[in-house]
Amino acid sequence: MFDLSGKVAVVTGGSRGIGRACAKSLAARGAHVVITYVGGEQAAAQTVADIEAAGGKAEAERFDVADMTAAETAIAEVAKRLGRLDILVANAGISIDGLLLRLKEEDLDRTLAVNLKGAIACAKAAIKPMMRTKAGRIVFLSSVVGEMGNAGQTSYAASKAGLIGAAKSLAREYASRQITVNCVTPGYIETDMTGDLNEAQRQAMLTGVPLGRPGTADEVAAAVTFLASPEAAYVTGHVLRVNGGMLI
């Protein structure tokens, strides 16, 4: 089950956190994984090394997803060099939090550029080789915040909500080519981004989680792996919630 042997996958923001877990999970099931990063070259190299040490295939590619030209060029080169592109996991994202009245225009622009524009740019590039083979899997990493909102995260929530609309639209556009497009919306997940929370903040977050604990990056990766697999061939335009019950 979930055999990805011979498949080529691109995971944006794959050097750490959820992206890293996704890259490892896809590679463990046979995919040749290309992880992308902007900073953190050492972390990217370590992720590749970990995958290779486990017997998988991986490589790292540096580009900024917010640069549409760079994204299209890099992904086209990967597809050409490796002969195909079967899976895109658009995971790269940032969060610049703050109340709306304190929001700087440059922070809004950067958040939308990375989280929303970047995912769409990568999807545009990935769909071209997928159309040639009449098959493909695209998974956007959105967030529970994109569905339910959160005070102090207006720009982040907007960018993540936009991914859901984009996924549903692309699912309709490319279903005839057997390309599926879905979203995964993680809730409170233990990653570098949540590691700075103090105990009071942590407990406040957990009060909204019926399962009573934070999720793990591996649990999110399991959902992504399913959507990227042959077993999910009849699932498209779907939002898969991995949030411990935060939004039911």
Side-chain angles (χ1 to χ4, degrees):
M1 185 175 284
F2 304 165
D3 183 7
L4 301 177
S5 299
K7 305 295 187 182
V8 173
V10 170
V11 179
T12 67
S15 64
R16 62 188 181 92
I18 290 172
R20 185 179 190 185
C22 290
K24 287 186 172 183
S25 181
L26 296 175
R29 287 155 181 82
H32 182 129
V33 180
V34 179
I35 65 169
T36 81
Y37 67 98
V38 176
E41 182 176 357
Q42 185 174 352
Q46 185 61 57
T47 302
V48 170
D50 289 346
I51 290 172
E52 292 178 337
K57 297 179 180 178
E59 56 188 88
E61 185 82 21
R62 184 181 185 278
F63 67 88
D64 186 352
V65 297
D67 183 335
M68 184 171 275
T69 299
E72 290 197 55
T73 299
I75 290 176
E77 191 277 330
V78 166
K80 181 179 180 180
R81 177 166 50 81
L82 298 179
R84 60 190 300 140
L85 177 56
D86 305 282
I87 300 163
L88 169 68
V89 179
N91 164 77
I94 61 171
S95 178
I96 306 174
D97 299 338
L99 297 175
L100 179 62
L101 293 182
R102 298 175 182 174
L103 180 65
K104 298 178 181 178
E105 184 176 4
E106 57 266 32
D107 291 341
L108 172 62
D109 289 344
R110 182 60 181 167
T111 300
L112 294 175
V114 174
N115 296 1
L116 182 57
K117 176 186 170 184
I120 293 173
C122 290
K124 179 184 177 184
I127 280 171
K128 293 177 182 178
M130 290 178 181
M131 287 179 66
R132 290 195 289 269
T133 58
K134 295 184 178 180
R137 301 280 186 270
I138 296 174
V139 183
F140 289 156
L141 265 296
S142 181
S143 169
V144 66
V145 173
E147 296 187 274
M148 63 185 287
N150 192 36
Q153 290 192 302
T154 298
S155 57
Y156 180 77
S159 68
K160 293 299 186 177
L163 288 177
I164 295 173
K168 290 179 179 290
S169 297
L170 290 174
R172 291 182 180 276
E173 281 188 36
Y174 295 100
S176 64
R177 299 301 183 99
Q178 304 305 306
I179 299 170
T180 67
V181 189
N182 294 286
C183 273
V184 172
T185 55
Y188 174 24
I189 308 297
E190 288 186 325
T191 65
D192 293 345
M193 291 181 70
T194 59
D196 292 334
L197 295 177
N198 60 42
E199 187 58 26
Q201 292 171 321
R202 177 185 171 86
Q203 290 304 316
M205 289 282 288
L206 289 177
T207 59
V209 182
L211 283 181
R213 65 170 179 85
T216 68
D218 287 339
E219 288 172 322
V220 179
V224 171
T225 300
F226 164 66
L227 292 174
S229 73
E231 284 77 6
Y234 204 56
V235 180
T236 195
H238 182 68
V239 179
L240 180 51
R241 296 169 176 167
V242 186
N243 62 35
M246 287 181 73
L247 181 63
I248 296 177

